[in-house]
Amino acid sequence: MNRDPVWWGGPVRTTLLGGKRIVVRLTVVVATVLAPLLLLAAPAAALEHGAGADLERVDSYVAQAMEDRDVPGAALVVVRDGRIVHAKGYGRADGEGRPVTAQTPFRIGSVTKSFTALAVMQLVEDGTVELEAPVRRYLPWFTLADEEAAGRITVSHLLHHTSGIPGTAGGAALFDPARTLEDTVRALAEVAPDRPVGESFEYANANYAVLGLLLEEVSAQSYADYIREHVLDPLQMRHSFATATSEGRGELAVGHQWFFGVPVAVPDRYVPGYVSSGFLSASAEDLGHWLITHMEGGRYDGVSVLSPEGIETLHAPGPGASVPGIPGVEHTGGGYAMGWFTGEMHGVPAVWHGGGDLRNSAMLVMAEDGWGMALLVNSGDYLTGSEPTAHIASGVVRLLDGKEPVPLGRPSIGYTYRVLDLVLAALTLPVLAAAVRLPRWYRGLRRRLLTGNPGRRTTLTVLRVAVELLLPVAALALGPELALAPALESELSASWRNAWAAVPDLVLWLSAVAGVLLAVGLVRGVLLARELARRRRPAPERPPATDSR
């Protein structure tokens, strides 16, 4: 008897059960039965592990959405079952065409808060910080305009955004590269709380600025050094940093802002005074490690940075931290935990957080179903609340959860700018027309002042000059408020510096139009004054005629 084994796809050499004909027939029957089952099982397995055809569709969706929204570059990572199942870069990382990869670091904005929260929880587990202890135990000089309220603020209140510190607090520090964390926190002495301590939620970057300074005081390290030593390095996040420059950890993606609807690469912005609130940088691949850490009880690749109980605490909403509507996110239920939102987003139960710095934006999601994703985009938009990122993220979240993408019901950035550009053009044309027609107006000025009703015509001309002088002066005086007004909500204080950082195109337009109108008004006023002076001047006496005879 031949005892050679039967190999699938190889020669059949046994005569068992009557010879090779029987074996061949059995092989055909088994293959015929199993093949359809394997084909049916493949999509289910792909969906279960977040890989395969479903991710191909995600890739197609991201690429198409980027093209539709004119997004320069993006990166995506998807995790499942404690591993990265997909990581990819799309588009360009800068104005020179450098391609985005999964290792390209991006500014991640307020996603930084999840790092700050975990770092504070590490100190809690070390026994050096207590969640319910007052902040003054660690920063004795900490105060607000209401000293009694400041004394009742705990570490937990800061983490949950229930301290009563208003969301507008510290807005001046958002664009001041000279301010430190301590400068930002000390400036809160002039800020009055806008609600009772611990009673309700109000998102405020200042809360996490205080936590960053607390972390520095307790650990005797800078925020960037602590995060690198105790979080980034243990988790093998080799393309992440909390410093102004990457210090050898990869070339940062260049952020973009929209100028009248066109994304333009702009210089990087790093604010030390808010580093713990929104100025950490990370790559998509590194954020995959970060998501796995949170989804696997504080561990990545055998290294633990926090206990499972600590992770659970970070993800649990605090009392009074129920969250109202969030621009750009369809969010229901849940609340604010510690550096994370909870509840359904775009119809998917999840723990998540987004971030942006007007030049870049990010979204991290950990779904109840067991998958996680991080999306990074190197463009930001003040007028529509980072609409391109919100649009892309909503579709990716739903696709990964086995749902179809649905419109957010908000205008796209392209539509918003088309409308805005039309409005600006309609306001610009009369100003330009007034400048172009100024010589013609002057040529007819004397005739208008001397015919018909001279008094009435003079009054109307003076009023026109007054409007052309006062209107641009008022526009320039109110410029920051006018430029920042289109946003739905903002913590930016109205200043020219903040307006320039947020909407440089509107600031340029407002300054140019106001300047032209002011120049026209000044020229018209000078010409009118000269003509009126000429009218008041007595006509020279003509010498008497002499008889030549």
Side-chain angles (χ1 to χ4, degrees):
M1 180 182 293
N2 192 329
R3 299 183 183 274
D4 288 347
V6 177
W7 296 97
W8 290 102
V12 180
R13 298 165 55 188
T14 181
T15 56
L16 185 63
L17 298 179
K20 61 174 71 174
R21 183 177 298 177
I22 295 177
V23 174
V24 169
R25 288 179 178 176
L26 286 174
T27 301
V28 172
V29 171
V30 172
T32 303
V33 173
L34 290 181
L37 296 178
L38 291 172
L39 290 172
L40 289 173
L47 181 60
E48 179 184 355
H49 296 290
D54 299 289
L55 290 178
E56 290 177 6
R57 187 177 179 198
V58 169
D59 276 341
S60 298
Y61 174 84
V62 172
Q64 186 61 53
M66 288 176 63
E67 183 178 344
D68 293 343
R69 260 54 179 187
D70 204 14
V71 172
L76 175 71
V77 65
V78 179
V79 303
R80 179 94 193 199
D81 298 331
R83 64 189 182 93
I84 293 176
V85 297
H86 185 64
K88 185 174 180 179
Y90 311 79
R92 62 186 190 276
D94 56 27
E96 305 300 319
R98 171 167 57 97
V100 175
T101 72
Q103 293 76 41
T104 302
F106 287 66
R107 296 288 187 204
I108 62 173
S110 286
V111 173
T112 301
K113 292 179 175 65
S114 64
F115 288 82
T116 302
L118 184 138
V120 170
M121 189 59 66
Q122 286 178 330
L123 299 180
V124 171
E125 294 194 344
D126 287 345
T128 53
V129 170
E130 292 183 20
L131 286 176
E132 302 307 323
V135 174
R136 283 180 175 170
R137 179 183 296 182
Y138 312 103
L139 300 172
W141 49 264
F142 170 74
T143 192
L144 304 175
D146 184 338
E147 288 206 19
E148 190 273 333
R152 290 190 287 110
I153 295 175
T154 67
V155 176
S156 177
H157 290 144
L158 297 174
L159 287 163
H160 292 299
H161 289 296
T162 56
S163 66
I165 297 175
T168 55
L174 279 173
F175 301 101
D176 188 350
R179 289 206 184 196
T180 64
L181 271 175
E182 183 171 340
D183 293 335
T184 301
V185 177
R186 287 191 180 276
L188 295 177
E190 301 176 2
V191 174
D194 64 354
R195 61 194 64 210
V197 175
E199 184 172 285
S200 59
F201 169 89
E202 183 175 6
Y203 191 92
N205 280 315
N207 287 318
Y208 276 72
V210 179
L211 289 169
L213 185 62
L214 183 153
L215 183 72
E216 291 190 339
E217 290 293 318
V218 173
S219 69
Q221 290 182 277
S222 70
Y223 178 85
D225 287 345
Y226 182 95
I227 292 295
R228 180 167 181 165
E229 179 180 339
H230 297 275
V231 181
L232 303 180
D233 286 350
L235 299 180
Q236 302 174 41
M237 298 178 68
R238 300 185 180 94
H239 298 95
S240 301
F241 48 92
T243 47
T245 59
S246 68
E247 298 181 351
R249 293 194 158 215
E251 189 174 357
L252 190 68
V254 175
H256 292 67
Q257 284 184 289
W258 268 266
F259 281 75
F260 305 105
V262 178
V264 177
V266 292
D268 181 48
R269 181 173 65 90
Y270 176 82
V271 181
Y274 270 122
V275 59
S276 52
S277 299
F279 284 91
L280 194 142
S281 301
S283 68
E285 182 178 85
D286 284 359
L287 290 174
H289 300 184
W290 183 240
L291 291 168
I292 291 169
T293 300
H294 278 268
M295 299 170 74
E296 298 294 320
R299 298 180 68 85
Y300 175 77
D301 197 21
V303 176
S304 175
V305 293
L306 199 66
S307 70
E309 294 76 18
I311 292 292
E312 185 176 346
T313 301
L314 289 178
H315 296 174
S322 59
V323 178
I326 302 171
V329 178
E330 292 181 355
H331 174 259
T332 57
Y336 197 87
M338 297 181 179
W340 296 95
F341 290 93
T342 67
E344 283 196 4
M345 66 166 312
H346 306 299
V348 178
V351 174
W352 58 277
H353 209 292
D357 68 347
L358 304 179
R359 292 159 168 79
N360 308 273
S361 48
M363 178 64 74
L364 269 63
V365 180
M366 295 180 289
E368 243 180 44
D369 283 354
W371 57 262
M373 80 94 183
L375 173 70
L376 302 172
V377 175
N378 66 339
S379 60
D381 172 45
Y382 177 81
L383 296 182
T384 61
S386 297
E387 181 275 333
T389 303
H391 170 75
I392 297 172
S394 69
V396 171
V397 166
R398 291 185 62 84
L399 285 171
L400 289 174
D401 209 61
K403 300 179 174 66
E404 288 297 310
V406 295
L408 288 178
R410 303 172 65 230
S412 70
I413 186 169
Y415 176 83
T416 299
Y417 264 105
R418 283 193 294 273
V419 172
L420 179 64
D421 289 348
L422 286 173
V423 171
L424 297 182
L427 295 173
T428 302
L429 288 175
V431 176
L432 294 178
V436 170
R437 298 180 62 183
L438 191 57
R440 179 181 176 186
W441 172 87
Y442 179 60
R443 287 194 296 270
L445 178 62
R446 180 177 298 182
R447 175 180 54 79
R448 288 192 297 274
L449 294 179
L450 295 177
T451 59
N453 187 337
R456 178 173 177 273
R457 288 178 176 271
T458 300
T459 300
L460 291 176
T461 304
V462 170
L463 286 175
R464 179 177 183 178
V465 171
V467 168
E468 288 178 340
L469 290 174
L470 294 177
L471 188 60
V473 169
L476 292 172
L478 300 175
E481 287 85 353
L482 294 172
L484 296 173
L488 297 177
E489 58 183 45
S490 174
E491 66 179 316
L492 300 183
S493 56
S495 69
W496 279 107
R497 180 174 59 185
N498 290 354
W500 175 255
V503 281
D505 48 358
L506 290 185
V507 171
L508 284 172
W509 173 84
L510 182 63
S511 301
V513 169
V516 171
L517 189 59
L518 183 61
V520 169
L522 288 172
V523 172
R524 202 188 303 273
V526 169
L527 295 175
L528 175 63
R530 189 171 76 171
E531 195 59 42
L532 292 176
R534 180 181 297 172
R535 288 183 57 192
R536 294 192 184 94
R537 191 181 306 135
E541 294 183 3
R542 303 180 66 179
T546 57
D547 192 349
S548 59
R549 289 178 298 173

